[in-house]
Amino acid sequence: MACPVKHYDAAQDGEQLDDEAGMLYGEYLMLDKILQAQRLLSEESNKAVHDEHLFIITHQAYELWFKQIIFELDSIRDIFGVVLEEIQTLEILKRLNRIVLILKVLVDQVMILETMTPLDFMEFRNYLRPASGFQSLQFRLLENKLGVKADNRVKYNKNYTKVFGNDEEALNKIEESENQPSLAILVERWLERTPGLEVEGFNFWGKYENAVNLLLEEQKQNALNEPIESLKQYRLNDLEKRREVYESIFSSEIHQALLNRGERRFSHKAFQGAILITFYRDEPRFNQPFQILNLLMDIDSLITKWRYNHVLMVQRMIGSSQLGTGGSSGYQYLRSTLSDRYKVFVDLFNLSTFLIPRSYIPRLSPDMRSKLCMWSNGVEPNGVTGNGKCGLEIEDNGFEEDIV
Ligand code: HEM
């Protein structure tokens, strides 16, 4: 029986518009172009292979997301390119975070293509030769714009431009992406300006070096008090190694040598800025910079994860000794790209080597403390009055007063 009470259903309101009203969904998104762009080569050869459709859609989805990442990356580089106003860091955070989320989707998307079996792939692989992801222009632009240096690429990848032959437009884009400051270079310049590094001012680096020496000295005394001789020697040897590791950041010559070998990427000053931000991340002015550093690591980490997932998929599809359709050794070549050479922000990962316990972190001077409460233009965040007391108090460890 029908309900006697008449309901007013707002959900059924409204009139459907037709194209006289203006541009509609399909037109705005140019779906006629996108949805017509799946050309199955197997179908054209009268032997349609079902999974080729997925293969094409997956690659196209990747390329669309690459495009969005490059779009965000270019805009972030523009903001970093002029001297960064701190008020803009929130926008940078928002866009970096967006890149990170897209990359997470890209890492997971590999699984969808893995629903195709090697036998299915074999049925159409020959049709697509010599096409290969190796020829993805956007992927190379992405690497270059992030800061992958030509020198750090593995041998087979060094002359990656060759695949673009006489394509002037592609070659120009690549040249531009190699020559313009990458995100890594812009971040390096930004870190070099971290407040607190001034030798005449807070002199973080001098204070930090003294704190490390004090820590190592105390640990040495503890080791010397160790009654078991073999354990004592073990601890002393270990300490000697720790001292050498620290020396690699305190000596600008050693740092430079590591830079020349590609084992470090940031300038000495930028490296110091990153450590400074990491230690004092609870101070209001360093909250966002610290988050930026974390997101940069996330980007490196997710691209490495994508490379890894892609390598695993390649091994599953073509094994470890078949050549790629692009002509490389296939799995073996791709595996070699998993190394730190392709991690643009590898220094940020390695910062953990140089952390010291909280109780040894040099206490902020009142001047430095109040500086970190304010934006660089003198305005305090959240209207807090200037008593230099925002952020977390680092416990008084009683030794930094002696430190020059
Ligand atoms: C069945 C699936 C896939 C197989 C078997 C495969 C295989 C390969 C192989 C063998 C290479 C090395 C270059 C060569 O000699 O061809 C390569 C490179 C590459 N592929 Fe794939 N691929 C697959 C899916 C994808 C997808 C979905 C993407 C997404 C865009 C992609 C992007 C790339 C990129 C960017 C490279 C260059 C990597 C570098 O040089 O560091 N591949 N692929």
Side-chain angles (χ1 to χ4, degrees):
M1 193 174 75
C3 178
V5 185
K6 235 182 164 188
H7 282 290
Y8 170 66
D9 186 358
Q12 306 306 323
D13 257 7
E15 254 175 60
Q16 287 196 359
L17 298 176
D18 56 25
D19 61 356
E20 280 170 17
M23 198 186 274
L24 291 186
Y25 180 81
E27 197 184 342
Y28 176 62
L29 296 175
M30 296 201 194
L31 292 184
D32 53 341
K33 285 203 175 127
I34 295 185
L35 300 180
Q36 294 292 319
Q38 293 72 39
R39 183 176 141 222
L40 274 64
L41 292 184
S42 62
E43 205 169 68
E44 287 178 11
S45 313
N46 287 327
K47 204 170 169 273
V49 181
H50 180 85
D51 284 15
E52 191 184 354
H53 195 271
L54 175 72
F55 187 78
I56 295 172
I57 292 274
T58 310
H59 279 82
Q60 288 175 339
Y62 268 106
E63 289 293 337
L64 278 177
W65 281 126
F66 287 164
K67 186 168 184 179
Q68 184 63 29
I69 296 178
I70 291 173
F71 184 71
E72 302 295 349
L73 198 53
D74 280 343
S75 74
I76 294 169
R77 284 161 65 238
D78 283 346
I79 304 178
F80 266 116
V82 283
V83 174
L84 177 66
E85 289 291 336
E86 284 171 51
I87 208 88
Q88 292 168 298
T89 47
L90 190 62
E91 196 53 36
I92 292 190
L93 273 177
K94 191 180 100 185
R95 295 181 196 181
L96 282 177
N97 191 39
R98 186 175 291 164
I99 294 181
V100 165
L101 291 179
I102 296 172
L103 285 171
K104 283 186 179 161
V105 170
L106 296 191
V107 170
D108 281 350
Q109 217 162 268
V110 170
M111 284 188 295
I112 307 177
L113 194 52
E114 277 177 344
T115 59
M116 173 176 81
T117 65
L119 214 54
D120 299 324
F121 183 43
M122 208 177 211
E123 279 190 62
F124 66 90
R125 185 170 182 234
N126 269 336
Y127 298 121
L128 53 106
R129 261 174 227 282
S132 160
F134 193 80
Q135 296 142 14
S136 166
L137 173 62
Q138 292 202 104
F139 188 74
R140 297 302 172 215
L141 295 180
L142 184 57
E143 287 181 326
N144 290 341
K145 282 167 191 264
L146 280 172
V148 173
K149 288 190 190 148
D151 284 350
N152 286 339
R153 291 181 183 277
V154 298
K155 195 162 165 246
Y156 181 79
N157 193 209
K158 279 210 195 307
N159 54 357
Y160 68 95
T161 52
K162 213 171 138 197
V163 296
F164 300 103
N166 298 324
D167 183 346
E168 285 292 319
E169 201 186 327
L171 292 172
N172 285 340
K173 281 187 179 164
I174 286 180
E175 199 182 328
E176 200 181 274
S177 70
E178 281 183 345
N179 295 333
Q180 281 179 351
S182 63
L183 181 65
I185 287 180
L186 294 166
V187 166
E188 178 182 58
R189 291 180 191 160
W190 168 69
L191 285 172
E192 285 169 351
R193 297 192 299 269
T194 309
L197 291 179
E198 314 79 20
V199 180
E200 301 304 322
F202 179 58
N203 186 21
F204 165 70
W205 203 238
K207 288 186 165 69
Y208 169 61
E209 187 170 358
N210 285 343
V212 167
N213 286 336
L214 188 82
L215 173 69
L216 293 179
E217 200 43 46
E218 280 182 14
Q219 289 179 346
K220 186 175 171 188
Q221 288 312 319
N222 288 342
L224 287 172
N225 290 336
E226 172 60 56
I228 304 169
E229 188 55 31
S230 58
L231 205 54
K232 186 201 299 190
Q233 277 315 317
Y234 173 81
R235 286 177 64 183
L236 287 173
N237 288 344
D238 187 46
L239 263 173
E240 207 37 53
K241 280 189 204 132
R242 294 282 307 148
R243 204 177 279 283
E244 278 169 25
V245 170
Y246 278 111
E247 187 59 15
S248 78
I249 49 167
F250 292 130
S251 153
S252 49
E253 288 78 27
I254 300 181
H255 182 86
Q256 189 55 46
L258 291 169
L259 262 180
N260 296 344
R261 291 217 301 263
E263 287 174 34
R264 291 240 173 99
R265 309 290 163 80
F266 282 147
S267 68
H268 201 204
K269 198 91 195 180
F271 201 84
Q272 296 172 15
I275 295 189
L276 174 54
I277 291 171
T278 307
F279 280 157
Y280 303 105
R281 62 186 186 179
D282 294 318
E283 300 301 321
R285 221 174 138 192
F286 281 164
N287 289 173
Q288 290 181 353
F290 180 70
Q291 289 179 53
I292 290 181
L293 298 186
N294 266 324
L295 288 170
L296 295 173
M297 276 191 279
D298 286 345
I299 290 180
D300 250 351
S301 179
L302 285 161
I303 293 183
T304 310
K305 283 177 185 162
W306 178 80
R307 288 187 195 275
Y308 187 66
N309 279 1
H310 175 253
V311 176
L312 283 182
M313 174 174 66
V314 169
Q315 189 177 30
R316 179 191 282 231
M317 295 295 165
I318 63 170
S320 17
S321 39
Q322 267 198 73
L323 297 187
T325 46
S328 78
S329 57
Y331 168 76
Q332 304 297 345
Y333 157 66
L334 291 169
R335 214 171 59 149
S336 71
T337 66
L338 288 175
S339 77
D340 278 356
R341 288 161 164 272
Y342 287 82
K343 275 206 208 100
V344 175
F345 298 104
V346 68
D347 287 345
L348 296 178
F349 288 83
N350 289 331
L351 283 191
S352 316
T353 320
F354 307 105
L355 299 185
I356 51 177
R358 267 212 163 89
S359 59
Y360 285 82
I361 298 176
R363 199 155 57 106
L364 292 174
S365 61
D367 181 47
M368 181 66 185
R369 204 168 170 71
S370 82
K371 231 189 213 171
L372 293 185
C373 284
M374 293 183 216
W375 297 122
S376 53
N377 60 7
V379 178
E380 298 195 5
N382 309 325
V384 182
T385 50
N387 57 8
K389 285 217 179 296
C390 53
L392 285 184
E393 186 75 47
I394 288 180
E395 271 178 40
D396 185 354
N397 43 28
F399 63 81
E400 75 278 8
E401 265 70 36
D402 310 332
I403 293 169
V404 192

